[in-house]
């Protein structure tokens, strides 16, 4: 007993002691709660006895049972959620004031649902869903104790969150209680599941469940899902098709066979195997099942027309916030105000469709595979003010502004200009502008760099960067890019907002890289914002259905370029409009505009990007190859023998922006900051080649002259003026009476059609004022012949010249 911690018994009293003395000290009375335990010492004194442990455990059980009984008694099923009446998310154009909605652009799902009676469905439809979600559904009492315990243990161990819900609990969550994630919510859900299992039949629960859940493809309920995936009513689904829909329930958007065929087929097989295990499908029938074919998913008419591209962008940008799922976007009743100005958007659509229909080319229409992109971005916020991504989203879901990647051509040159200005290479710095030239750094000196123009391209002699920018002189920009380093040109482009991969080779300055039109618009918007870069976006504000603001974009931007660098780059690009390749079409808008034309090799893309302080706009044209792979050269049409940046891109830009400038929001003329003269006085630079022995002025004689276009006679005054401007000539109008030519149409031109004149010369159009007395309108004296004029020589284009000259540096073939 030496090692015992129990206290020793008291010493027995000796004989002879009076009995009365023992009665004088009564025994110690036991306490009801013997803790700490008096009969022990040390650690055992503080350890509860088995009686205490058992009593506490039994008492806890009774307490839990009592609490559970009370909860069971007082928790009753609430009214059903308005699940089948979820509020529609509405998308608005921008209103007159920031954050305020304008007209409705579109909506996201008044849930696409058709209620069907469960009794009308084949038995295997419910069985397939039970096999995938809850194999014991038809026999359990609404909950699975083992499932909840397993999920609880898994969660408290820190493993990925796991649910232990039965199908009935999922039904409670979706039909009565909405999403529950805490333990009390799950407990309440379990109680309701038990009660509902007592008051509702399994068929009623399964039927409501099938009519409520989201199956993907904008489809809520089994009926809409069956039609979206298989083009048939749910009552006509096969076992295999029912199993596929059941397999999609946990993650319908991700496991759609059109998105992830491997995952959907894997899940489909699991559901079928579970049906066999549950006795709902024989092994032989299981072996005979073939993975079903789904129909092509076509989004609802919500996406019809040009607005469909905008709505897709709204959805993608909203989901990118990670605040909502695709299903929630269609059920939360959100109010989304976009940055898109409805009147400006309408102008973009009208002008783009006018180009397609021939309205901008006197009835001549382009190839039906022509791809047209028009994008306008607000430099102050980065908001997309207008975007034309195609005529109809349902016909072609590839947005020309965000999906297409085309070569930038000479619209890439300003990035090299900015890189040079950052290094102190000012606008007055002079370079050799003769053509052709070779540079050791340019493909090892084995390839000519040519300017635009016939033969070897136009030579300019020694010119500064202002002149080189205005006339898009390739040889000067090749030398500049070598001097600043092509990696710096690529860096500037990325900092300005280009997101596609860029090369760091000398030819990148001529636009050999593939870019998105939206990115290029955003980059030029960075220039317009004096060097503050803001990512283009379409969401202005997102509100919950109670009117509270749920999300807004950050529009503060980040400064990436110095203001003086931007002032000089902008000045150089204003000269493109005032005296260079953009003059013929853009200058007539009569306000300060900075911009740049661009054409890629073989005329596979043609651009005009321009900006005023309030707005940056890009127009990009390309032509999809007949086999749908890559791009073809843009087929010429109308007044131009080849499609360069100074042709229809500039025509479309001017037509569209003329309407925009009539909008009160953009009507006020704002001036750019004055030229800052970064780098100070002109700095001579080494030329790539010695002065040619032959006098360089003789070389550009031919490109410096143009022919008066044919086909002027019989045209309207406006059309003929546009043709002359497109040829780089100035139109002067004089009226004259004519009995044979209708009023408002051209009688003749002076100098006459086909005459050779200097570029920029004035051509007088003699326009009929009508006959002295009314007379029938005669037909034109001669039909307008096909134009033969060359594009204006200023459009430098990509990789060797705006027209893609034969000796140009080869560029990679573009693919959309």
């Amino acid at each position: 007993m030496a090692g015992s911690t129990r206290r020793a018994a008291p010493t027995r009293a000796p004989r002879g002691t009076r009995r009365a003395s023992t009665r004088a000290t009564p025994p110690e009375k036991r306490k009801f709660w013997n803790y700490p335990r008096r009969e022990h010492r040390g650690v055992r004194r503080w350890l509860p006895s088995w009686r205490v442990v058992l009593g506490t455990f039994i008492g806890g059980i009774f307490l839990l049972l009592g609490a559970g009984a009370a909860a069971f008694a007082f928790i009753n099923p609430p009214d059903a959620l308005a699940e089948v009446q979820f509020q529609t998310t509405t998308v608005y154009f921008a209103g007159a004031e920031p954050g305020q909605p304008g007209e409705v652009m579109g909506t996201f799902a008044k849930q696409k649902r058709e209620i069907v009676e469960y009794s009308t469905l084949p038995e295997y439809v419910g069985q397939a869903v039970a096999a995938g979600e809850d194999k014991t559904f038809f026999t359990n009492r609404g909950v699975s104790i083992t499932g909840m315990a397993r999920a609880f243990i898994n969660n408290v161990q820190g493993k990925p969150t796991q649910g232990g819900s039965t199908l009935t609990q999922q039904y409670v969550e979706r039909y009565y209680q909405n999403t529950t994630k805490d333990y009390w919510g799950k407990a309440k859900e379990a109680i309701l599941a038990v009660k509902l299992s007592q008051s509702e039949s399994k068929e009623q629960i399964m039927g409501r469940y099938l009519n409520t859940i989201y199956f993907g493809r904008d489809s809520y309920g089994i009926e809409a899902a069956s039609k979206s995936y298989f083009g048939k009513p749910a009552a006509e689904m096969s076992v295999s098709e029912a199993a596929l829909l059941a397999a999609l329930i946990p993650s319908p958007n991700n496991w759609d066979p059109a998105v992830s065929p491997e995952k959907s087929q894997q899940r489909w097989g699991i559901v079928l195997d579970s049906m066999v295990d549950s006795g709902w499908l024989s092994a032989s029938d299981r072996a005979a099942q073939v993975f079903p074919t789904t129909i092509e998913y076509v989004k609802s008419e919500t996406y019809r027309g040009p607005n469909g591209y905008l709505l897709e962008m709204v959805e993608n940008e909203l989901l990118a916030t990670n605040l909502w799922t695709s299903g929630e976007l269609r059920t939360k009743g959100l109010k989304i105000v976009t940055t898109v100005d409805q009147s400006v958007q309408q102008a973009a659509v009208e002008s783009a469709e006018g180009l397609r229909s021939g309205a901008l080319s006197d009835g001549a229409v382009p190839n039906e595979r022509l791809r047209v992109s028009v994008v306008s971005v607000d430099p102050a916020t980065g908001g997309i003010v207008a975007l034309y991504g195609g005529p109809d989203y349902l016909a072609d879901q590839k947005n020309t502004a965000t999906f297409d990647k085309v070569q930038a051509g000479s619209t890439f040159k300003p990035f090299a200009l900015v890189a040079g200005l950052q290094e102190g290479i000012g606008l007055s710095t002079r370079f050799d502008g003769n053509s052709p030239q070779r540079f050791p750094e340019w493909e090892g000196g084995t390839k000519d760099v040519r300017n635009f123009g016939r033969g070897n391209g136009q030579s300019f002699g020694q010119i500064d960067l202002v002149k080189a920018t205005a006339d898009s002189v390739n040889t000067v920009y090749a030398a500049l890019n070598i001097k600043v380093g092509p990696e710096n040109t690529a860096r500037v482009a990325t900092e300005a907002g280009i997101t596609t991969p860029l090369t760091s080779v000398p030819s990148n300055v001529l636009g050999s890289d593939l870019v998105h039109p939206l990115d290029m618009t955003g980059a030029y918007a960075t220039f317009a914002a004096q060097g503050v870069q803001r990512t283009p976006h379409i969401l202005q504000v997102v509100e919950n259905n109670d009117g509270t603001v749920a999300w807004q974009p950050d529009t503060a931007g980040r400064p990436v370029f110095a203001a003086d660098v931007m002032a000089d780059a902008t000045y150089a690009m204003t000269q493109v409009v005032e005296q260079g390749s953009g003059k013929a079409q853009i200058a007539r808008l009569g306000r300060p505009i900075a911009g740049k034309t661009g054409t890629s090799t073989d005329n596979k893309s043609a651009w005009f990007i321009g900006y005023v302080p309030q707005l940056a706009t890009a127009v990009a044209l390309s032509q999809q190859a007949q086999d749908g792979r890559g791009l073809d050269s843009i087929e010429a049409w109308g007044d131009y023998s080849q499609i360069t940046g100074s042709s229809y891109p500039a025509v479309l830009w001017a037509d569209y922006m003329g309407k925009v400038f009539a909008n009160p929001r953009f009507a006020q003329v704002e001036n750019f900051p004055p030229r800052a003269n970064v780098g100070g006085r002109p700095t001579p630079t080494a030329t790539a080649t010695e002065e040619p022995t032959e006098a360089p002025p003789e070389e550009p004689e031919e490109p410096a002259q143009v022919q008066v276009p044919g086909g002027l006679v019989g045209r309207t005054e406006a059309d003929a003026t546009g043709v002359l401007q497109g040829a780089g000539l100035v139109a002067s109008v004089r009226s004259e009476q004519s009995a044979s030519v209708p009023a408002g149409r051209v009688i003749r031109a002076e100098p006459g059609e086909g005459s050779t004149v200097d570029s920029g010369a004035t051509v007088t159009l003699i326009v009929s004022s009508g006959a002295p007395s009314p007379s029938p309108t005669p037909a034109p004296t001669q039909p307008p012949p096909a134009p033969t004029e060359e594009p204006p020589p200023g459009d430098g284009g990509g990789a060797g010249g705006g027209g893609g000259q034969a000796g140009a540096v080869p560029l990679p073939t573009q693919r959309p």
Side-chain angles (χ1 to χ4, degrees), residues 536-548:
H537 60 275
I538 198 169
L539 299 181
Q540 185 178 168
V541 63
V542 180
E543 295 181 1
N544 295 311
N545 56 23
D546 61 1
T548 58

Side-chain angles (χ1 to χ4, degrees), residues 63-134:
L63 284 174
L64 289 174
L65 290 174
F72 194 85
F74 288 104
I75 294 177
N76 292 303
D79 293 336
L81 294 171
E83 179 112 351
V84 295
Q85 300 172 0
F86 270 133
Q87 296 183 60
T88 299
T89 291
T90 306
V91 183
Y92 299 89
F93 287 103
E97 298 295 330
Q100 296 300 310
E103 296 295 322
V104 173
M105 177 188 293
T107 59
F108 286 106
K110 284 183 179 179
Q111 295 181 354
K112 188 170 71 176
R113 173 190 283 113
E114 296 179 51
I115 302 297
V116 293
E117 292 295 330
Y118 181 63
S119 59
T120 65
L121 301 176
E123 187 178 22
Y124 51 72
V125 173
Q127 291 170 344
V129 171
E133 297 298 304
D134 179 8

Side-chain angles (χ1 to χ4, degrees), residues 504-575:
S504 294
V505 296
S507 61
N508 69 357
V509 71
L510 302 185
S512 58
D513 288 319
L514 303 177
V515 292
H516 295 301
L518 177 59
D519 284 355
M520 289 298 289
T521 315
Y524 276 59
T526 301
F527 298 160
Q530 296 304 299
V532 179
Q533 192 274 332
R534 296 175 174 90
T535 301
H537 60 275
I538 198 169
L539 299 181
Q540 185 178 168
V541 63
V542 180
E543 295 181 1
N544 295 311
N545 56 23
D546 61 1
T548 58
V549 174
W551 184 85
Q552 282 183 293
D554 179 7
T555 61
R558 58 188 184 93
V560 293
F561 307 126
D564 57 350
V565 169
M566 290 292 94
D568 278 6
T570 296
Y571 173 81
M573 283 188 277
T574 61
Q575 302 311 296

Side-chain angles (χ1 to χ4, degrees), residues 5-18:
T5 60
R6 194 177 182 91
R7 293 183 178 179
T11 306
R12 194 168 183 174
R15 288 184 180 181
T17 305
R18 290 186 303 176

Side-chain angles (χ1 to χ4, degrees), residues 406-423 425 427 465 469 472 477-478 480-503 505-528 531 533 560-561 565-566 568-570 572-573 595-597 607 609 611 618:
V406 296
Q407 290 177 318
S410 289
T411 60
F412 212 82
K413 287 175 180 172
F415 301 134
L417 178 63
V418 170
L421 290 168
Q422 286 180 326
E423 294 187 11
I425 302 174
L427 296 180
L465 287 175
T469 304
S472 202
Y477 267 93
L480 175 64
N481 200 39
I482 292 169
K483 185 176 181 65
V484 301
E487 68 281 358
N488 284 318
T489 296
R491 170 188 56 80
V492 168
T494 300
E495 290 176 348
I498 302 302
T499 62
T500 49
L502 302 176
T503 59
V505 296
S507 61
N508 69 357
V509 71
L510 302 185
S512 58
D513 288 319
L514 303 177
V515 292
H516 295 301
L518 177 59
D519 284 355
M520 289 298 289
T521 315
Y524 276 59
T526 301
F527 298 160
Q533 192 274 332
V560 293
F561 307 126
V565 169
M566 290 292 94
D568 278 6
T570 296
M573 283 188 277
K596 189 71 189 72
T597 54
W607 301 71
I609 312 178
Y611 58 92

Side-chain angles (χ1 to χ4, degrees), residues 254-327:
N254 294 325
W255 296 349
D256 185 326
V259 176
S260 180
E262 298 84 4
K263 183 64 177 179
S264 62
Q265 189 160 358
Q266 177 190 9
R267 283 282 306 168
W268 170 79
I270 291 173
V271 170
L272 289 175
D273 291 341
S274 182
M275 292 180 72
V276 174
D277 294 341
S278 299
W280 296 324
L281 187 68
S282 67
S284 59
D285 287 342
R286 164 65 180 93
Q289 300 303 314
V290 177
F291 189 72
T293 300
T294 58
I295 62 176
E296 183 180 357
Y297 174 44
V298 178
K299 291 196 174 185
S300 68
E301 290 297 303
T302 296
Y303 294 88
R304 174 69 66 189
N307 281 359
Y309 299 98
L310 303 179
L311 291 172
E312 184 200 36
M313 293 176 68
V314 167
E315 180 174 3
N316 291 341
E317 197 167 301
L318 190 80
L319 298 183
T321 66
N322 293 319
L323 298 177
W324 297 276
T325 65
S326 180

Side-chain angles (χ1 to χ4, degrees), residues 694-703:
E694 298 178 12
E698 294 180 6
E699 233 179 299
E701 280 296 323
E702 186 179 333

